[in-house]
Amino acid sequence: MKRQRGHKARLGLTPVQLWKIEDQGHAARAMWNLIHDLWTMTPKCQRSLSRMDTEIRRARKEIDWLAKLPAQAAQQVLKTYMRAWVNCWEGRAEAPTFKARFRTRAAIDIPQGRDLRIKRLTHRWGQVWVPMVGLVRFRWTKDLPGVTKGSHPGRVTGARLVKDALGWHIVFRTETLVDDPTPHQGPGVGIDVGVTRPLALSDGTFRDHDAWLTPKEAERLRRLERTRERQKQYRKPGERTSNRLARTNRLIAGYRARAKRRTLDWQHKTTTGIADTFGVVGVEALKITNMVKSAKGTVEEPGKNVRQKAGLNRSISGEAWGRTVTLLEYKLADRGGHLVKVPAPNTSKRCHACGFITEGNRESQAVFVCKNETCGWSGNADTNGSCNIETATKHQAPEDIAGVRTWSLSQWAGPEASTAHPVAL
């Protein structure tokens, strides 16, 4: 079985190399914008990939600063742009737009893996060939297939240079040959995601984390954001950003990048532990984009509790539920497990012990009390929701998953569940 993965490593650039890569990054962004302008101005009957390719070749010959971008990287910009339109036409994404300089992450593609010439130098450093830049050092934190002796058979198919608040990184695209995973023999579990308790499992346990930033870091970030708003008041529309405002933006981006690294670290460790323990995991099929929409409304019909909803939106975005599900999905597949997405309606209102649904079942955000006189189950609301997700998983999972149809309710609901009250879906 072929397994495709990505590995990100930080680059150690000299000042000259940094200057060359920055030029390539700006040229790649400008190439995207020129292709976008040409595409939108060209009549639909005359749009074609071959014409765009011809115009790219002509532009690289006539414009010196566009020629700083390697030819293969320029071709990859065109392919990425066309793929963006295909994703739009198939309903998976919005239409591609103009890429602004300060709101777009710079990226440069190296599509051919054979051009990289990867070599390990020391225990901590390796080197890679970047077209029109030369040999560049990068942090060696993981063995690469086809490069390290004793690693899985495979190869590096390509790479991409990306820039974030910490500087330039290289992302290797790897392809390894692994044996087909054997079916996971672990039990099943349902997971309910939240803000107060990030992950609640149907076995009664939780997966919690501390704040992504320490109190001092959070206070520093708050002060920097207030400073930025004050500095922006003195900037006229269209005026160049001052050095002080640019420095403030860099500091804010650094703190946010630090929080994101800690988030990723916790998500990887947590999802790896869940994938190692459980064979089938059920989660809600949430539409997170709709959940984080603003409540401000319109001028004619203004919204209510706008600031409170904005705070909730920030909390939901900070938990990155979608990324947690993505990590779980591929890690379970690597171990022979399965991820099942179940409908979200009524998972928090239904009593998992008797199936009774009513608006008053939740006494508070954290406590669930069943109003059914013959049941009266009470406990953590998130645990109740995860048990409902687990029950729905057993009814929705594919038939070929071993053991899904034979799980008993008492295994998940705990001793409080009574077999006299069947779960209603």
Side-chain angles (χ1 to χ4, degrees):
M1 179 178 77
K2 290 184 179 181
R3 177 186 296 172
Q4 296 179 341
R5 292 289 183 268
H7 171 59
K8 186 177 181 180
R10 190 169 184 177
L11 294 176
L13 301 171
T14 64
V16 176
Q17 292 174 340
L18 177 61
W19 171 63
K20 291 181 179 179
I21 289 183
E22 288 283 351
D23 285 345
Q24 289 190 16
H26 290 306
R29 181 187 59 84
M31 180 70 71
W32 172 283
N33 292 334
L34 291 174
I35 293 174
H36 180 65
D37 290 340
L38 179 61
W39 180 271
T40 53
M41 291 187 298
T42 303
K44 293 184 179 180
C45 59
Q46 299 179 10
R47 295 173 181 173
S48 65
L49 185 62
S50 60
R51 179 181 179 183
M52 297 295 170
D53 180 64
T54 303
E55 296 297 333
I56 285 178
R57 297 174 185 272
R58 182 184 305 173
R60 292 188 69 257
K61 291 181 180 179
E62 298 177 355
I63 304 175
D64 294 338
W65 54 270
L66 277 182
K68 295 180 179 180
L69 183 66
Q72 290 185 345
Q75 297 296 324
Q76 195 64 29
V77 173
L78 176 59
K79 293 179 180 179
T80 305
Y81 183 80
M82 298 303 299
R83 169 52 57 182
W85 273 115
V86 171
N87 293 337
C88 174
W89 294 331
E90 295 179 355
R92 293 193 299 267
E94 299 291 336
T97 59
F98 180 87
K99 288 190 175 183
R101 179 175 182 180
F102 296 104
R103 295 193 300 271
T104 303
R105 185 178 69 168
I108 308 161
D109 276 294
I110 308 176
Q112 299 295 335
R114 62 174 180 270
D115 298 336
L116 296 173
R117 308 180 198 173
I118 303 171
K119 181 181 179 182
R120 187 166 188 174
L121 300 178
T122 64
H123 177 69
R124 294 181 177 272
W125 291 96
Q127 73 177 13
V128 61
W129 175 267
V130 178
M132 301 183 69
V133 176
L135 291 173
V136 178
R137 296 199 310 163
F138 68 92
R139 293 283 293 181
W140 192 283
T141 58
K142 185 178 181 181
D143 293 338
L144 297 173
V147 180
T148 307
K149 294 182 179 179
S151 60
H152 287 289
R155 62 193 179 100
V156 178
T157 59
R160 195 179 204 195
L161 305 179
V162 295
K163 184 181 180 182
D164 59 16
L166 300 177
W168 283 92
H169 296 73
I170 185 168
V171 181
F172 295 104
R173 294 189 291 269
T174 63
E175 182 181 273
T176 55
L177 299 176
V178 296
D179 297 332
D180 292 337
T182 58
H184 201 300
Q185 299 301 321
V189 72
I191 298 180
D192 183 59
V193 296
V195 175
T196 306
R197 307 302 293 266
L199 297 179
L201 277 61
S202 58
D203 60 358
T205 61
F206 300 91
R207 302 294 186 271
D208 298 321
H209 60 76
D210 297 328
W212 304 130
L213 295 176
T214 64
K216 290 185 178 180
E217 292 171 341
E219 177 63 19
R220 176 61 174 160
L221 177 59
R222 186 185 67 85
R223 290 179 178 272
L224 285 171
E225 290 175 342
R226 293 182 62 182
T227 300
R228 180 182 61 181
E229 295 303 317
R230 185 180 68 253
Q231 292 173 344
K232 288 172 64 176
Q233 293 177 358
Y234 299 96
R235 180 176 177 269
K236 298 179 181 178
E239 186 180 6
R240 184 177 179 179
T241 303
S242 65
N243 293 334
R244 291 184 178 181
L245 179 56
R247 176 182 176 274
T248 304
N249 287 331
R250 287 195 301 270
L251 292 175
I252 292 175
Y255 279 106
R256 291 179 176 173
R258 184 179 304 177
K260 184 177 180 180
R261 292 199 310 275
R262 292 171 181 171
T263 306
L264 277 171
D265 179 70
W266 179 83
Q267 287 179 319
H268 273 290
K269 292 178 179 178
T270 303
T271 53
T272 299
I274 294 174
D276 288 338
T277 305
F278 301 100
V280 181
V281 177
V283 296
E284 291 178 297
L286 297 175
K287 296 182 179 179
I288 303 176
T289 305
N290 297 336
M291 296 176 63
V292 296
K293 286 185 177 180
S294 175
K296 63 182 180 180
T298 61
V299 177
E300 295 78 11
E301 297 181 0
K304 299 180 180 180
N305 300 325
V306 178
R307 299 309 306 163
Q308 291 85 340
K309 183 62 168 61
L312 177 61
N313 292 346
R314 286 193 296 269
S315 299
I316 294 175
S317 300
E319 293 298 331
W321 295 337
R323 187 167 58 214
T324 300
V325 173
T326 301
L327 295 177
L328 265 178
E329 188 170 10
Y330 85 80
K331 290 182 180 181
L332 284 167
D334 290 346
R335 293 159 176 79
H338 299 269
L339 181 78
V340 181
K341 296 182 180 181
V342 302
N346 293 327
T347 54
S348 61
K349 299 178 182 179
R350 179 188 294 112
C351 175
H352 76 278
C354 66
F356 185 69
I357 302 175
T358 183
E359 293 288 343
N361 272 350
R362 274 188 100 146
E363 292 285 334
S364 65
Q365 185 67 25
V367 180
F368 184 94
V369 178
C370 182
K371 299 302 181 181
N372 188 356
E373 297 179 356
T374 61
C375 178
W377 184 91
S378 64
N380 185 274
D382 295 331
T383 301
N384 175 77
S386 62
C387 290
N388 287 324
I389 294 171
E390 183 276 328
T391 304
T393 301
K394 292 188 291 185
H395 289 261
Q396 189 168 319
E399 293 285 354
D400 57 349
I401 299 180
V404 170
R405 299 298 185 185
T406 60
W407 291 340
S408 62
L409 176 62
S410 59
Q411 180 182 358
W412 309 105
E416 296 87 353
S418 172
T419 55
H421 305 291
V423 175
L425 294 176

